[in-house]
Amino acid sequence: MIEVEVKAKIDDFNSLKRELKKINARKMRKEYQKDIYFNSPIKNFAETDEALRIRKISIKNKVNTVITYKGPKIENEGKTREEIEMAIDDPYKICKILENLGFKKASIVVKNREIYELSEYIISLDDVEGLDPYMEIEVDLEDGNDYKPALDGIFETFKKLGIINGFERRSYLELLEETI
């Protein structure tokens, strides 16, 4: 799967929620997410622009956990990249397997996310611990599909919401590491 994603720094959530309502975006849910990032023993993911994480997702009283690999970005405007994700039952065991194979815990990113849907796009308002407010718009494509129309649609959606600058290609992990 290819994830086409663009992130922008925003001023505040309340005004953006009003704009989302105006364009008929549907609020889906709120999530608490805790991401544990790992680095490989054979290559530096910061240098190869890859990521490996275990994400704990809490929605009300239900908790799900997924392991995700993100490949290097394949374009220069957003964060389009291969993404492979799989649900896991026991995050502790997966962490132990990775550590036994030489992977090192690199960092933890914690956020509260409010998720909206607009057509095929998922819009997330992200309150990341240690960062200013951000919004992401993303869509998933099957491998081999042209990402350019999806990327254009994402930027058009930002424009409808009054956002024409403040775009950010770095991940939350990269942004947090810069604040240290």
Side-chain angles (χ1 to χ4, degrees):
M1 172 184 66
I2 299 294
E3 178 187 60
V4 183
E5 174 187 305
V6 179
K7 172 175 37 222
K9 189 174 180 182
I10 59 173
D11 293 326
D12 72 282
F13 294 121
N14 291 328
S15 62
L16 198 52
K17 288 177 187 181
R18 287 190 293 275
E19 294 302 314
L20 286 166
K21 190 172 186 174
K22 285 180 189 176
I23 66 169
N24 296 315
R26 184 175 64 93
K27 184 176 176 180
M28 296 173 58
R29 65 187 174 277
K30 289 183 179 182
E31 295 180 353
Y32 168 84
Q33 297 179 349
K34 181 177 181 181
D35 297 340
I36 302 170
Y37 284 87
F38 290 85
N39 208 356
S40 168
I42 57 172
K43 58 184 173 177
N44 184 335
F45 288 156
E47 292 173 5
T48 63
D49 195 26
E50 295 170 279
L52 179 65
R53 74 168 181 233
I54 294 176
R55 171 175 282 173
K56 177 180 158 185
I57 305 165
S58 301
I59 305 169
K60 295 183 181 177
N61 293 328
K62 187 177 178 189
V63 177
N64 295 316
T65 307
V66 295
I67 186 167
T68 306
Y69 164 79
K70 291 184 176 248
K73 295 177 195 84
I74 58 175
E75 46 82 15
N76 294 319
E77 297 175 85
K79 291 177 54 190
T80 303
R81 54 176 41 181
E82 178 184 27
E83 181 179 87
I84 303 167
E85 191 167 76
M86 181 178 72
I88 55 174
D89 292 328
D90 192 335
Y92 175 78
K93 285 182 181 176
I94 296 295
C95 283
K96 290 304 289 178
I97 289 169
L98 292 173
E99 289 170 342
N100 286 339
L101 292 171
F103 286 79
K104 303 279 187 221
K105 288 182 184 173
S107 193
I108 295 176
V109 176
V110 176
K111 68 178 159 282
N112 286 295
R113 173 172 271 184
E114 194 165 312
I115 300 173
Y116 293 78
E117 183 179 58
L118 180 68
S119 185
E120 70 269 29
Y121 301 109
I122 300 298
I123 301 170
S124 300
L125 303 181
D126 290 336
D127 182 11
V128 181
E129 287 184 10
L131 295 177
D132 291 326
Y134 280 89
M135 180 176 83
E136 292 182 352
I137 302 177
E138 69 180 68
V139 63
D140 294 332
L141 304 176
E142 294 297 321
D143 291 341
N145 285 355
D146 182 12
Y147 66 84
K148 187 67 172 135
L151 191 60
D152 291 343
I154 288 172
F155 279 111
E156 186 60 35
T157 303
F158 271 111
K159 191 174 178 182
K160 287 179 187 175
L161 293 167
I163 298 170
I164 57 172
N165 56 31
F167 299 108
E168 179 59 65
R169 290 189 76 233
R170 294 170 292 177
S171 68
Y172 293 133
L173 176 61
E174 291 170 303
L175 291 167
L176 285 168
E177 287 177 345
E178 287 180 7
T179 64
I180 297 174

